[in-house]
Amino acid sequence: MAGAGRKVAVAAVQFACTDTVADNVAAAERLIREAHKKGANIILIQELFEGHYFCQAQRMDFFGRAKPYKENPTIMRMQKLAKELDVVIPVSFFEEAGNAHYNSVAIIDADGTDLGLYRKSHIPDGPGYQEKFYFNPGDTGFKAFKTKYATIGVGICWDQWFPETARAMVLQGAEILFYPTAIGSEPQDMNLDSREHWKRVMQGHAGANLVPLVASNRIGKETVETEHGNSTIKFYGNSFIAGPTGEIVKLANDKDEEVLVAEFDLDEIKSTRHGWGIFRDRRPDLYRVLLTLDGKTSSSS
């Protein structure tokens, strides 16, 4: 029907993780069901939600947390849930692939079909976030996945700081961007609080590409035994949903379990995006300079 629009409701869930897989998967399912009751069609769970954020430490035994992509019990459970509820669920997990390991997400469509895999491209390596010890750089490239309700792009945590990630997914047709995340305090400086910067960067991706954006982060304080003693991160939540001009339409706080839901008319947004001209007026012929100047300092003033 003309003028009806293609309306899609998206959700972000936020909760504190224990270090027991069964408890966390059950919590995720409970919140997904709650989001479904609120009308959500596509529901985002936070990054690596099966347990504590183990990357605070460099420990060989933590590789035992990784599981293969195929026949993965958490993915299979979410496939059944997606089919039951008729919802789309991106599922974050620690992937073992032969001798390689990845920070990955499987995209589960509303009929339970596994649409494919994205492996995190940008891997951080700093105090408390020592992911390079565990994860190979992703080899899938950025992707857009055509689901029942929308074509979506999914980046993972550190990917969210790179505008190239968002633009690459939107150029492939992504209508909504999703970022599962695990971010909080900095163990080397507990006074450093990045939450506002974190939100503004992703709001910029939404506004620059004229697409809605959903970010899901965990809450709670997690302490991990490291090779140098205990390390603690207080995760600051602030999961949010941004509209296509970067405006925050739903925002969680930094301490409570929450389910955020917002609805968007994707046809209306598409019309605005095309009329705004940001893709018409791109100059990819000039952007090749990024490949030659990357890491170099220009000599011109």
Side-chain angles (χ1 to χ4, degrees), residues 19 52-62 65 128 130 133-134 222-233:
D19 208 27
H52 281 167
Y53 180 73
F54 54 88
C55 304
Q56 293 192 62
Q58 295 186 12
R59 285 175 45 178
M60 300 294 290
D61 59 314
F62 283 166
R65 297 172 179 242
Q130 301 175 71
F133 182 77
Y134 298 101
E222 296 180 9
T223 299
V224 175
E225 184 180 347
T226 79
E227 63 277 22
H228 304 297
N230 288 342
S231 175
T232 298
I233 293 178

Side-chain angles (χ1 to χ4, degrees), residues 14-132:
Q14 170 177 294
F15 62 97
C17 290
T18 70
D19 208 27
T20 302
V21 174
D23 291 346
N24 296 318
V25 174
E29 177 171 336
R30 174 173 53 80
L31 295 174
I32 288 168
R33 290 185 181 279
E34 182 178 338
H36 170 255
K37 288 180 181 178
K38 293 182 176 182
N41 306 119
I42 308 174
I43 304 168
L44 183 64
I45 320 167
Q46 60 218 32
E47 180 189 18
L48 298 172
F49 66 92
E50 290 180 294
H52 281 167
Y53 180 73
F54 54 88
C55 304
Q56 293 192 62
Q58 295 186 12
R59 285 175 45 178
M60 300 294 290
D61 59 314
F62 283 166
F63 282 101
R65 297 172 179 242
K67 298 182 181 69
Y69 172 37
K70 297 300 181 183
E71 305 300 319
N72 183 297
T74 297
I75 294 174
M76 293 172 67
R77 179 167 173 175
M78 291 300 160
Q79 286 181 273
K80 292 179 181 178
L81 183 62
K83 184 175 182 179
E84 175 193 342
L85 301 180
D86 196 32
V87 298
V88 175
I89 309 173
V91 182
S92 171
F93 70 106
F94 183 15
E95 180 192 3
E96 178 185 281
N99 289 317
H101 294 82
Y102 298 98
N103 188 338
S104 302
V105 61
I107 312 302
I108 309 304
D109 208 356
D111 63 356
T113 300
D114 184 346
L115 296 179
L117 186 72
Y118 168 69
R119 290 169 171 161
K120 186 173 181 176
S121 299
H122 303 95
I123 311 298
D125 187 28
Y129 301 88
Q130 301 175 71
E131 295 194 14
K132 279 187 168 66

Side-chain angles (χ1 to χ4, degrees), residues 11-17 28 31-32 42-49 90 92 154-158 160 177-183 198-199 202 213-219 235-242 250 252-253 258-260:
V13 304
Q14 170 177 294
F15 62 97
C17 290
L31 295 174
I32 288 168
I42 308 174
I43 304 168
L44 183 64
I45 320 167
Q46 60 218 32
E47 180 189 18
L48 298 172
F49 66 92
S92 171
V154 183
I156 303 172
C157 201
W158 194 229
Q160 67 209 359
L177 299 178
F178 293 84
Y179 290 97
T181 301
I183 189 169
W198 174 75
K199 286 182 284 191
M202 284 185 282
L213 184 148
V214 183
S216 173
N217 188 26
R218 65 178 66 196
I219 52 172
F235 293 92
Y236 54 59
N238 275 252
S239 301
F240 70 93
I241 300 172
K250 296 286 183 178
N253 63 29
E258 297 204 38
V259 174
L260 308 177

Side-chain angles (χ1 to χ4, degrees), residues 146-255:
K146 186 174 179 56
T147 75
K148 175 178 179 178
Y149 300 108
T151 300
I152 67 172
V154 183
I156 303 172
C157 201
W158 194 229
D159 288 333
Q160 67 209 359
W161 294 90
F162 297 84
E164 299 88 350
T165 302
R167 179 53 57 90
M169 292 189 289
V170 174
L171 284 173
Q172 293 179 78
E175 300 170 288
I176 312 171
L177 299 178
F178 293 84
Y179 290 97
T181 301
I183 189 169
S185 60
E186 304 289 336
Q188 83 282 7
D189 183 359
M190 294 301 287
N191 294 316
L192 181 58
D193 188 338
S194 62
R195 74 186 70 189
E196 299 304 324
H197 185 191
W198 174 75
K199 286 182 284 191
R200 284 193 296 268
V201 166
M202 284 185 282
Q203 288 176 258
H205 300 334
N209 293 285
L210 277 165
V211 294
L213 184 148
V214 183
S216 173
N217 188 26
R218 65 178 66 196
I219 52 172
K221 183 180 289 187
E222 296 180 9
T223 299
V224 175
E225 184 180 347
T226 79
E227 63 277 22
H228 304 297
N230 288 342
S231 175
T232 298
I233 293 178
K234 184 178 181 181
F235 293 92
Y236 54 59
N238 275 252
S239 301
F240 70 93
I241 300 172
T245 62
E247 75 281 16
I248 290 183
V249 297
K250 296 286 183 178
L251 176 63
N253 63 29
D254 63 357
K255 61 182 182 298

